[in-house]
Amino acid sequence: MEITITKTTNPKKKPDKNNLVFGTVFTDHMFIMDYEEKRGWYNPRIVPYGPLQLEPACMVFHYAQETFEGLKAYKTKEGKIQLFRIQDNMKRLNQSNERLCIPKIDVNLAIEAIKTLVKVDQDWIPKMEGTSLYIRPFVIGTDNKIGVKPSSTYKFMVILSPVGSYYKEGIRPTKIYVEDKYVRAVPGGVGYAKTGGNYAASLKAQKEAKEKGYSEVLWLDGQQRKYVEEVGTSNAFFIVDGVAYTSPLQGSILAGITRNTTITLLKEMGIQVREERFTVDQLFQWHEEGKLEEAFATGTAAVISPIGQLGWKDKVAIINNFEIGKISQKIYDSITGIQNGTLEDKYHWITQLS
């Protein structure tokens, strides 16, 4: 299908490149494509960024049938535009779509839509170190009916936002609270899908953790509430006696693309990676025995977020003297180097825009 382009006649003022705040400013254009049961996906188009006209009965408002993704575009020192692992993001979007009963989108068409939109708004891509253009593809059910069933109409959209470095003062460790009261997801649910309900379910615990002086929560499994799972909405890694431990993908954890990237790079560094279940008791025991050397979370926004402190009940564990570890730093430098074009892309993760 041909993507039609209607450019804005009223371009926005670009934000201050030195004060970019994540997800608050959006570019001049957006991509939209519609779906109807008898027609399939149709009318792919790029139009000026603006409000949607949706009726109050629109099903997404009532039954949360929606999915989304998050990835970034980068501009190299030579001025080339690079996308990181876009094909993996679009494949994962379809995995989420399948779970939410949303019709799948042709991966190649989705990639072409994003590439075309980024080209149209390429002047919005910031050039300073640590900055990027955040890309948010999403799908919403748009039937105007009150009744619990899959929608028969949908919109697939993409919006763009210039963002600064997640760490304005450099990559810094965070304080994480172990959550054993609230549950985010369970096997058989939608924990592995990238859908808004997962994030809404995390807000209460996150709010209470911040009131205790912590920046995020470490989720435990939703059945026995003792096995370590994710940090906030990010995957978690723990370096124990030189071995990297991370929770296995068992239906309640998002298959993070940065997680997969990190596992590949850890193995390249000669570090054994164990994707296996372990309890929060075991984690604190490792710390007491002096075996817990580093801990960090992985995700698109921050890439690597070092964990400097864990709090659980009356226990507090300070990790690596509340400093970023050598392994965490090397993984961060490797991923960002590939993304911005200063390191070789040996794994063909980069898609360049011509």
Side-chain angles (χ1 to χ4, degrees):
M1 288 183 283
E2 181 181 355
I3 300 171
T4 62
I5 301 175
T6 303
K7 291 193 174 182
T8 183
T9 57
N10 187 27
K12 302 176 185 177
K13 181 181 177 181
K14 303 288 193 303
D16 180 357
K17 63 183 180 180
N18 295 309
N19 293 291
L20 294 174
V21 180
F22 191 91
T24 58
V25 176
F26 300 92
T27 65
D28 284 321
H29 300 90
M30 60 185 181
F31 174 85
I32 306 176
M33 183 166 64
D34 301 302
Y35 178 90
E36 294 177 5
E37 282 187 340
K38 294 182 180 180
R39 297 181 64 178
W41 290 104
Y42 69 99
N43 194 19
R45 59 202 184 274
I46 290 173
V47 298
Y49 181 94
L52 298 177
Q53 187 171 355
L54 298 172
E55 293 189 19
C58 187
M59 288 184 71
V60 69
F61 297 144
H62 304 274
Y63 308 113
Q65 194 187 13
E66 63 85 35
T67 57
F68 66 96
E69 270 298 327
L71 63 154
K72 292 178 178 179
Y74 307 84
K75 188 167 284 188
T76 68
K77 292 180 180 179
E78 297 76 27
K80 296 178 180 178
I81 299 170
Q82 301 198 141
L83 303 172
F84 184 72
R85 302 195 69 168
I86 183 173
Q87 191 164 34
D88 296 300
N89 279 102
M90 293 304 99
K91 287 180 179 178
R92 189 174 66 179
L93 178 64
N94 273 336
Q95 291 171 359
S96 299
N97 287 343
E98 192 277 333
R99 181 63 179 86
L100 273 292
C101 295
I102 295 172
K104 291 185 178 181
I105 301 166
D106 181 86
V107 168
N108 291 329
L109 177 58
I111 291 173
E112 189 60 31
I114 291 171
K115 290 168 66 175
T116 304
L117 181 61
V118 171
K119 284 182 183 179
V120 169
D121 278 343
Q122 61 183 290
D123 290 344
W124 284 81
I125 305 175
K127 302 176 184 177
M128 296 178 64
E129 183 178 352
T131 63
S132 58
L133 186 69
Y134 185 78
I135 303 167
R136 170 51 59 90
F138 61 102
V139 187
I140 60 173
T142 54
D143 276 5
N144 296 310
K145 298 176 183 177
I146 300 295
V148 183
K149 71 176 189 65
S151 181
S152 60
T153 62
Y154 299 87
K155 285 186 182 297
F156 169 49
M157 304 182 63
V158 185
I159 56 177
L160 310 174
S161 176
V163 297
S165 174
Y166 195 82
Y167 300 100
K168 290 187 177 181
E169 299 176 1
I171 184 169
R172 302 174 67 181
T174 56
K175 297 169 65 177
I176 305 297
Y177 183 76
V178 179
E179 178 54 60
D180 58 7
K181 178 171 65 172
Y182 300 109
V183 171
R184 174 188 169 270
V186 295
V190 294
Y192 72 89
K194 205 162 176 65
T195 182
N198 290 335
Y199 296 78
S202 72
L203 297 178
K204 181 68 171 175
Q206 185 184 67
K207 180 176 181 292
E208 293 187 5
K210 288 186 176 180
E211 290 171 353
K212 293 181 175 75
Y214 292 85
S215 58
E216 259 297 355
V217 300
L218 174 64
W219 292 103
L220 303 181
D221 72 289
Q223 293 172 306
Q224 299 182 63
R225 304 194 192 181
K226 67 177 184 179
Y227 291 101
V228 171
E229 292 206 336
E230 293 188 323
V231 169
T233 55
S234 304
N235 300 116
F237 286 80
F238 301 89
I239 308 299
V240 182
D241 268 353
V243 175
Y245 287 81
T246 190
S247 300
L249 303 177
Q250 298 184 134
S252 59
I253 298 176
L254 182 71
I257 290 165
T258 311
R259 174 189 186 273
N260 179 271
T261 303
T262 297
I263 289 173
T264 300
L265 294 176
L266 285 169
K267 291 179 178 179
E268 183 184 276
M269 293 162 60
I271 296 173
Q272 181 184 359
V273 179
R274 292 186 180 176
E275 297 180 65
E276 60 186 51
R277 300 184 87 188
F278 55 95
T279 67
V280 63
D281 283 305
Q282 179 69 72
L283 184 60
F284 274 80
Q285 184 178 334
W286 282 331
H287 177 264
E288 291 169 6
E289 294 171 350
K291 296 179 180 179
L292 181 57
E293 300 163 355
E294 294 184 39
F296 56 89
T298 63
T300 299
V303 182
I304 296 294
S305 181
I307 300 170
Q309 178 178 320
L310 285 174
W312 179 47
K313 297 180 178 179
D314 60 345
K315 298 181 180 181
V316 174
I318 304 298
I319 302 170
N320 195 40
N321 297 317
F322 211 86
E323 298 174 354
I324 181 171
K326 293 181 180 179
I327 294 173
S328 307
Q329 186 71 63
K330 187 169 183 179
I331 293 294
Y332 178 81
D333 292 341
S334 297
I335 295 176
T336 55
I338 294 169
Q339 290 170 338
N340 62 35
T342 59
L343 290 181
E344 180 187 359
D345 174 30
K346 295 188 291 186
Y347 298 99
H348 307 291
W349 287 329
I350 293 296
T351 298
Q352 282 195 347
L353 274 62
S354 55

